[in-house]
Amino acid sequence: MFPKMDALGMAGAVPRAPQQERSRVTRARLLEATVECLVEQGWSGTTTTLVATRAGVSRGAQLHHYPTKAALVMAAVAHLADRRATEIRAEAQALPTGPDRLDRVVDMLAAAFTGPLFVAALEVWVAARTDAELRGALVPLEARVGREMHRLTAELLGADERRPGVREAVQATLDLLRGLGVANLLTDDSARRATLLAAWKQQLKGIVNS
Amino acid sequence: MFPKMDALGMAGAVPRAPQQERSRVTRARLLEATVECLVEQGWSGTTTTLVATRAGVSRGAQLHHYPTKAALVMAAVAHLADRRATEIRAEAQALPTGPDRLDRVVDMLAAAFTGPLFVAALEVWVAARTDAELRGALVPLEARVGREMHRLTAELLGADERRPGVREAVQATLDLLRGLGVANLLTDDSARRATLLAAWKQQLKGIVNS
């Protein structure tokens, strides 16, 4: 039998002591609930009480693991970004090699930038703009997440960034996708996005594969 | 003498009756103060009371012109978008023709997408995502503003959108700039943006001028 996937979608890890394992599951539930709350209620509607209720975790346990809304939200952004990277990497392994691969990679990334984690992260970015304490914590985290996303994208595209223009094209892809994520906030922008990305994929192929 | 620029930055219009003129100035002050509040305090920190105080307008006058926060914010987004378009158009008239023009146009647009109006609009977009009433009012307004911004950009770039790929390239430029605007929210991203846009301008020239 294959090892069962656990709650974080990772295959059988080193066995943990029961208490450690319970804490890990509690934290994961709190972080998932935080993202769900941010997506459904927005930043101002997200409270630690609501998150604890939603996660089915006692208020005491929530306060023990994440004493403030800022702590909860930072941990949620970091945890979900790692999880998204793991999922993208796993999905990419199933992609065919060959000329269609770049198209599929861009589609996968576009799905990530229009999905719940992007929406939750945007809520936090915008709140952090006018909240100095939150911003102080978020800036280094976002720098790390941004670097990892860039590295992952370059790797999946098979982009050799030592060649002129390639690094900028990988960056532009991510900035374009971020802009498309915002354009999708209030209405379904998928038809326009598909046409636009079809053109961008051709351009990107010209730069990455030339 | 040249006609003086009035509070909206528009040159000498048709003379108005004094009462009409006072109302127009009051509205303009309220709308400018709304954008300043959104930029400094964010959506949740923006209140109609704060805006009236900041504009130096009585609470009664504010309620008369814009009875709710939603009305104030919608009018501010529409008013400032029109004003930004007017400013961009005026600035573009001063640009040289020739090979550098496209670079300057992209720089002007990038400045708009990292300026206060973008930040204020983003606050409103994100708030509207989880506020059905606000979203209902904002979606048609944003559709109009988006169409006008697209038309203005195509015009300034001298882009013939009947040619294949040109329309998508103009759209991608605006989506890229929106993504760069978000990337600039928490930290000064200008150095990275300049390098990325230098590469983008070359690409865009290839498509628009080919």
Side-chain angles (χ1 to χ4, degrees):
Chain A
M1 294 287 288
F2 291 104
K4 276 228 181 108
M5 301 295 270
D6 70 15
L8 286 174
M10 317 228 275
V14 182
R16 288 185 180 85
Q19 175 55 40
Q20 263 191 316
E21 178 61 18
R22 271 201 303 278
S23 285
R24 198 189 58 75
V25 170
T26 299
R27 282 197 299 270
R29 277 161 66 179
L30 284 166
L31 301 181
E32 304 278 341
T34 302
V35 169
E36 288 169 15
C37 262
L38 285 167
V39 170
E40 285 174 26
Q41 314 287 332
W43 170 263
S44 57
T46 297
T47 62
T48 54
T49 318
L50 193 60
V51 168
T53 307
R54 179 159 204 143
V57 164
S58 75
R59 181 84 174 132
Q62 172 254 303
L63 286 167
H64 169 69
H65 289 294
Y66 304 105
T68 65
K69 178 173 171 178
L72 196 52
V73 161
M74 287 301 132
V77 169
H79 166 71
L80 273 281
D82 288 345
R83 192 180 128 182
R84 182 181 60 177
T86 305
E87 285 172 356
I88 289 176
R89 219 178 273 276
E91 219 180 310
Q93 284 186 337
L95 290 181
T97 51
D100 287 349
R101 185 178 164 89
L102 183 144
D103 294 350
R104 295 288 80 72
V105 167
V106 171
D107 290 339
M108 265 173 44
L109 294 171
F113 275 91
T114 50
L117 179 58
F118 175 78
V119 168
L122 186 63
E123 289 281 345
V124 179
W125 291 333
V126 169
R129 199 183 63 77
T130 50
D131 179 328
E133 196 187 332
L134 193 60
R135 192 171 64 242
L138 190 59
V139 165
L141 169 62
E142 278 303 324
R144 174 176 79 75
V145 169
R147 276 194 305 275
E148 282 168 13
M149 195 66 188
H150 181 98
R151 195 178 311 130
L152 177 60
T153 303
E155 176 194 322
L156 296 182
L157 293 172
D160 178 357
E161 297 201 306
R162 293 163 304 184
R163 293 178 36 234
V166 171
R167 185 173 170 75
E168 289 75 18
V170 172
Q171 285 191 331
T173 302
L174 291 170
D175 285 295
L176 175 64
L177 290 171
R178 193 181 311 109
L180 289 170
V182 174
N184 200 61
L185 271 190
L186 302 182
T187 50
D188 176 4
D189 190 40
S190 53
R192 188 187 76 93
R193 184 168 64 245
T195 310
L196 191 155
L197 284 179
W200 176 246
K201 289 164 185 171
Q202 292 312 309
Q203 295 254 96
L204 193 56
K205 279 177 201 171
I207 299 168
V208 168
N209 302 332
S210 70
Chain B
M1 292 288 289
F2 291 104
K4 279 232 179 101
M5 300 296 270
D6 69 15
L8 284 174
M10 317 228 278
V14 181
R16 287 186 180 84
Q19 175 54 43
Q20 263 191 316
E21 178 60 18
R22 272 201 302 277
S23 284
R24 198 190 58 75
V25 170
T26 299
R27 283 197 298 270
R29 278 160 65 180
L30 284 166
L31 301 183
E32 304 279 342
T34 303
V35 170
E36 288 169 16
C37 264
L38 285 167
V39 169
E40 284 174 26
Q41 314 287 331
W43 170 262
S44 57
T46 297
T47 62
T48 53
T49 318
L50 193 62
V51 168
T53 307
R54 180 160 203 140
V57 165
S58 74
R59 181 87 175 127
Q62 172 255 302
L63 286 167
H64 169 71
H65 290 295
Y66 303 106
T68 63
K69 177 173 172 179
L72 196 53
V73 161
M74 286 300 131
V77 169
H79 166 71
L80 272 282
D82 288 346
R83 193 181 128 181
R84 181 181 59 177
T86 305
E87 286 172 355
I88 288 176
R89 220 177 273 275
E91 220 180 309
Q93 284 185 337
L95 290 180
T97 51
D100 287 350
R101 184 178 165 88
L102 182 143
D103 294 351
R104 297 286 81 73
V105 167
V106 171
D107 290 339
M108 266 173 44
L109 294 171
F113 275 92
T114 49
L117 180 58
F118 176 77
V119 168
L122 186 63
E123 288 281 345
V124 179
W125 290 334
V126 169
R129 198 184 63 78
T130 49
D131 180 329
E133 196 186 332
L134 192 61
R135 191 171 65 240
L138 190 60
V139 165
L141 171 61
E142 278 303 325
R144 174 176 77 76
V145 169
R147 275 194 306 273
E148 283 167 13
M149 195 67 186
H150 181 97
R151 197 180 309 131
L152 177 59
T153 304
E155 178 194 320
L156 296 181
L157 293 172
D160 179 356
E161 298 202 307
R162 292 164 304 184
R163 294 175 37 234
V166 171
R167 183 171 173 75
E168 288 75 16
V170 173
Q171 286 191 332
T173 301
L174 291 170
D175 285 295
L176 174 65
L177 290 171
R178 193 181 309 109
L180 289 170
V182 174
N184 200 62
L185 271 190
L186 302 182
T187 51
D188 177 4
D189 191 40
S190 52
R192 187 187 77 93
R193 183 168 65 245
T195 309
L196 191 155
L197 285 179
W200 184 263
K201 290 164 185 169
Q202 292 312 310
Q203 294 226 60
L204 195 55
K205 279 178 201 171
I207 299 168
V208 168
N209 302 331
S210 70

